[in-house]
Amino acid sequence: MSETPPTAAPAPLPWLIIIAGCLIALLSFGPRSAMGFFQLPMLADTGWDRTTFGLAMAIQNLFWGLGQPIFGAIADKYGTWKVLALSSLLYAGGLFIMSVAPTEGWFYIGGGVLTGLGIAAASFGIVLAAFARNVAPERRSMAFGIGTAAGSAGMFVFAPLSQGLIDAYGWQEALVWMAAMMFIVPFLAIPLRGNSNSGSQQAVHYKQSIGEALREALAHKSYVLLVTGFFVCGFQVAFITAHFPAYLRDIGIDSSFAVLALALIGFFNIIGSLASGYIGQHYSKPLALVWIYVSRSIAVTAFLLLPQTGMSVVIFAIVMGLLWLSTVPPTNALVAIMFGTRHLGMLGGLVFFSHQVGSFLGVWLGGYLYDVFGSYNPVWWLGVALGLFAAIVHWPIKERAVERKVPVPVAAE
């Protein structure tokens, strides 16, 4: 009678790399998630309208998306630390220019272009690609969940921190303080140094140029569906991040609930991201994404149709927090499953570019349609419809590696 061989213990997580990456995610996601708190005091001092603020934040999201695949490709080839160090300069410079912008044009450059590029160079795609190179495939979904949860913690920390800085020093000096914080990133990034040919999971790669990798990905149906669906995530969360504080003020709810709501979204996003990472490790990732988008549409519909009170704001924030960035772990894990880790920074960045096109439209339409109709309701309902669309798009996605007819495995350099 033969004995059943013992099950191999799962590979341990590289905690130094994960902790460093988590702190970077916290710092990079925190300030941009607090931009909504700056809208009303900034507009009161400058005399600009909400369309101006919305356009600046839309430009920020667009350049975040444009920069993501570019910085991802640079990190894949030349190393993660160099990209993260560049991020600190871009991010800090953008926040500082935003604080002193004398005209709308300078506001678009600082708060839009430079801040967007700074976020792109230190965003989830850069950090999670570094995780993927050092975490065994069966543990990646959980590691991605931890990294995403850290970004959520940034929202939880920076919501009250930014409002406190604004109350104590004014919105301009608050931005300067946040700019200074970005110079911590290069020091935190030291454990993440290395490129796609380094790390514990680099033993075998498929030899591909960037162009070949892009052509393969864009011809893969499941990847195209993933790119299409992630557009909706960006539209929904960016609109809420930029306009929710002003929306609550418009419907007569005390501004303290805006701080509480975004902090709750950040806190419960930690739980949602960890849960999403765990679920993606054990169950279907495409199906998890379907339910996330359906649940978002239900949550927004209930919030709009039921009486809107401080308590309903709290409940909505908790529910949306659980669903906020829970899309990120399964989405990035699916890209790694489909194509491996050699070009993960770039291919994950391309998916995220779609997210940021959605973010651009969500933030800009929020401000523009408010100025046209005097209400945010048209954008809320558009987000509901898009959530249902995203659920339909994710349903047929296949959770498997791309079929390569002529594989050419080569040892990493």
Side-chain angles (χ1 to χ4, degrees):
M1 184 175 178
S2 61
E3 294 184 1
T4 302
T7 303
L13 292 174
W15 283 110
L16 179 60
I17 291 172
I18 287 177
I19 291 171
C22 285
L23 291 173
I24 292 168
L26 186 153
L27 278 172
S28 65
F29 194 77
R32 60 86 38 200
S33 68
M35 289 291 102
F37 294 112
F38 291 87
Q39 179 174 184
L40 295 181
M42 176 183 287
L43 300 187
D45 283 352
T46 61
W48 301 332
D49 57 20
R50 296 194 192 190
T51 300
T52 299
F53 185 88
L55 180 57
M57 295 302 101
I59 291 171
Q60 179 189 109
N61 280 283
L62 184 61
F63 274 83
W64 180 3
L66 287 169
Q68 181 84 42
I70 296 171
F71 289 125
I74 294 171
D76 288 340
K77 186 170 183 179
Y78 296 107
T80 301
W81 184 88
K82 294 176 181 177
V83 170
L84 290 172
L86 176 61
S87 165
S88 69
L89 297 175
L90 291 169
Y91 209 153
L95 290 173
F96 178 76
I97 292 174
M98 182 178 171
S99 73
V100 297
T103 65
E104 295 174 8
W106 279 105
F107 180 33
Y108 296 150
I109 292 171
V113 177
L114 291 179
T115 301
L117 291 174
I119 300 168
S123 63
F124 289 124
I126 306 298
V127 171
L128 297 188
F131 284 8
R133 295 195 296 268
N134 293 279
V135 175
E138 65 273 12
R139 305 293 297 275
R140 281 180 190 151
S141 183
M142 194 67 235
F144 289 173
I146 295 170
T148 307
S152 310
M155 187 175 187
F156 175 69
V157 170
F158 274 84
L161 177 61
S162 61
Q163 187 62 62
L165 288 171
I166 292 170
D167 291 341
Y169 303 109
W171 64 271
Q172 291 175 301
E173 192 167 340
L175 287 170
V176 174
W177 276 104
M178 290 199 293
M181 295 178 193
M182 294 306 105
F183 291 107
I184 304 172
V185 170
F187 300 98
L188 294 173
I190 292 172
L192 277 68
R193 62 188 183 276
N195 61 10
S196 62
N197 291 324
S198 61
S200 62
Q201 303 299 311
Q202 88 287 6
V204 175
H205 283 311
Y206 279 85
K207 187 176 182 180
Q208 279 183 317
S209 68
I210 290 176
E212 289 169 342
L214 283 172
R215 286 192 292 272
E216 178 184 66
L218 294 176
H220 189 50
K221 179 182 176 181
S222 289
Y223 180 77
V224 173
L225 291 173
L226 197 65
V227 171
T228 304
F230 212 35
F231 165 93
V232 177
C233 180
F235 184 98
Q236 293 172 327
V237 302
F239 165 69
I240 294 175
T241 298
H243 294 287
F244 199 54
Y247 173 76
L248 294 183
R249 181 80 63 85
D250 291 344
I251 62 175
I253 293 178
D254 189 84
S255 60
S256 62
F257 279 97
V259 178
L260 177 61
L262 291 185
L264 286 172
I265 288 174
F267 178 77
F268 281 91
N269 192 14
I270 298 171
I271 299 172
S273 298
L274 291 172
S276 176
Y278 177 84
I279 291 169
Q281 194 166 296
H282 295 87
Y283 303 99
S284 166
K285 296 174 185 63
L287 189 57
L289 288 165
V290 169
W291 283 110
I292 289 168
Y293 286 109
V294 168
S295 299
R296 283 185 182 180
S297 291
I298 293 172
V300 173
T301 299
F303 178 63
L304 294 177
L305 295 181
L306 294 174
Q308 292 178 314
T309 64
M311 182 56 67
S312 72
V313 170
V314 168
I315 295 172
F316 175 73
I318 291 172
V319 174
M320 284 303 296
L322 292 171
L323 303 169
W324 193 254
L325 292 180
S326 56
T327 58
V328 174
T331 297
N332 280 274
L334 282 169
V335 178
I337 288 170
M338 292 174 190
F339 306 108
T341 63
R342 183 173 182 83
H343 295 288
L344 181 58
M346 178 185 67
L347 296 179
L350 188 59
V351 176
F352 198 75
F353 171 67
S354 173
H355 182 284
Q356 293 311 102
V357 172
S359 297
F360 175 91
L361 289 175
V363 175
W364 175 71
L365 281 175
Y368 176 74
L369 293 181
Y370 178 89
D371 288 336
V372 172
F373 296 104
S375 170
Y376 285 117
N377 283 344
V379 187
W380 279 116
W381 288 113
L382 180 57
V384 169
L386 286 173
L388 299 177
F389 166 77
I392 294 170
V393 164
H394 283 87
W395 185 271
I397 290 176
K398 305 298 182 184
E399 189 176 341
R400 59 171 178 252
V402 64
E403 294 181 4
R404 292 181 169 114
K405 293 182 180 179
V406 188
V408 187
V410 295
E413 298 172 5

